[in-house]
Amino acid sequence: DGGITQSPKYLFRKEGQNVTLSCEQNLNHDAMYWYRQDPGQGLRLIYYSQIVNDFQKGDIAEGYSVSREKKESFPLTVTSAQKNPTAFYLCAAGGSGGPQETQYFGPGTRLLVL
Amino acid sequence: SQKIEQNSEALNIQEGKTATLTCNYTNYSPAYLQWYRQDPGRGPVFLLLIRENEKEKRKERLKVTFDTTLKQSLFHITASQPADSATYLCALDTGRRALTFGSGTRLQVQP
């Protein structure tokens, strides 16, 4: 997991509530990514950012929002518009070269709905 | 439609045997393909990257092949050990500056 920290490890969301997942990296990588993983499934891309103050939607961006104000931080907000938020959320960082770069993943945050 | 397919059924093998996992894709022409290992409840860890002009890549007991005609990558673990038990994910370059992951194959190595 080295160099990528995600908090909290577990997060509980009440209906109608927005929650924010934290992702911090000390690897000095330009690019950062958020993925969602459902049980027995692969990783689905939510948002990614190649550079500070810029980000792009992935395959399942609806109901989520991000910001990239600092190189080392890429928080993900799960909004109340996301009707099925229960999942394992993974943050990653890598070089800005995109798919030719190794991605380094954090330990993940498990989001549960109360 | 565009798809990345990995065998959803778990692969069970005996210790010491070679494990072979498959990643098939359709309607992509990736320049790069990567393999990751994921243990339960943890983030994936990078294993190998192979480029479209490379047929084979090796790292210790691991070997990856990349056949752009068949649109397939094979991932081999030789002399498998129980510690190799994990889920293995392939990830492709799909024309954007981010990887697209397959759903993974769970490998179980029996002692």
Side-chain angles (χ1 to χ4, degrees):
Chain A
D1 301 335
I4 311 284
T5 57
Q6 290 186 244
S7 62
K9 189 173 176 65
Y10 295 95
L11 185 59
F12 298 91
R13 192 190 92 163
K14 295 179 182 178
E15 195 170 333
Q17 186 181 44
N18 292 353
V19 291
T20 297
L21 284 62
S22 169
C23 178
E24 303 280 328
Q25 58 121 346
N26 62 4
L27 302 173
N28 200 35
H29 284 313
D30 289 314
M32 295 187 75
Y33 308 84
W34 273 105
Y35 295 91
R36 168 181 173 142
Q37 188 173 36
D38 293 281
Q41 305 284 321
L43 280 62
R44 291 187 290 168
L45 184 65
I46 305 173
Y47 270 98
Y48 60 107
S49 168
Q50 295 289 311
I51 197 168
V52 173
N53 291 323
D54 188 36
F55 47 82
Q56 289 77 40
K57 292 182 180 180
D59 300 315
I60 54 166
E62 186 174 348
Y64 300 97
S65 65
V66 293
S67 62
R68 187 85 187 277
E69 297 176 1
K70 299 186 296 182
K71 186 176 184 178
E72 58 270 21
S73 178
F74 192 39
L76 173 75
T77 297
V78 184
T79 75
S80 57
Q82 173 48 247
K83 297 306 179 188
N84 185 23
T86 297
F88 188 46
Y89 290 87
L90 287 158
C91 176
S96 57
Q100 63 185 309
E101 307 277 0
T102 299
Q103 289 191 14
Y104 300 89
F105 284 84
T109 292
R110 196 166 296 278
L111 177 61
L112 300 164
V113 177
L114 293 177
Chain B
S1 64
Q2 297 173 317
K3 283 194 297 188
I4 302 170
E5 292 183 332
Q6 294 186 257
N7 195 340
S8 58
E9 291 184 14
L11 178 63
N12 291 289
I13 63 168
Q14 285 297 118
E15 183 175 6
K17 301 292 186 184
T18 296
T20 299
L21 285 69
T22 304
C23 177
N24 294 302
Y25 57 92
T26 57
N27 296 329
Y28 293 121
S29 297
Y32 307 94
L33 190 148
Q34 301 191 27
W35 283 88
Y36 287 77
R37 168 183 172 142
Q38 187 177 24
D39 291 288
R42 306 193 69 174
V45 174
F46 171 77
L47 295 174
L48 283 166
L49 178 149
I50 188 165
R51 294 174 171 78
E52 62 177 339
N53 61 349
E54 297 176 314
K55 296 292 184 193
E56 184 179 294
K57 200 81 168 279
R58 291 176 185 261
K59 179 183 175 184
E60 298 173 352
R61 295 185 295 112
L62 308 180
K63 184 178 85 171
V64 171
T65 63
F66 192 8
D67 189 325
T68 56
T69 302
L70 290 179
K71 292 186 178 293
Q72 180 182 78
S73 175
L74 298 179
F75 177 80
H76 306 271
I77 305 175
T78 58
S80 60
Q81 305 166 0
D84 295 325
S85 299
T87 296
Y88 291 86
L89 302 161
C90 70
L92 305 185
D93 157 27
T94 56
R96 59 184 175 184
R97 298 182 75 78
L99 291 168
T100 301
F101 282 81
S103 56
T105 297
R106 189 163 61 88
L107 172 66
Q108 188 70 39
V109 181
Q110 308 289 346

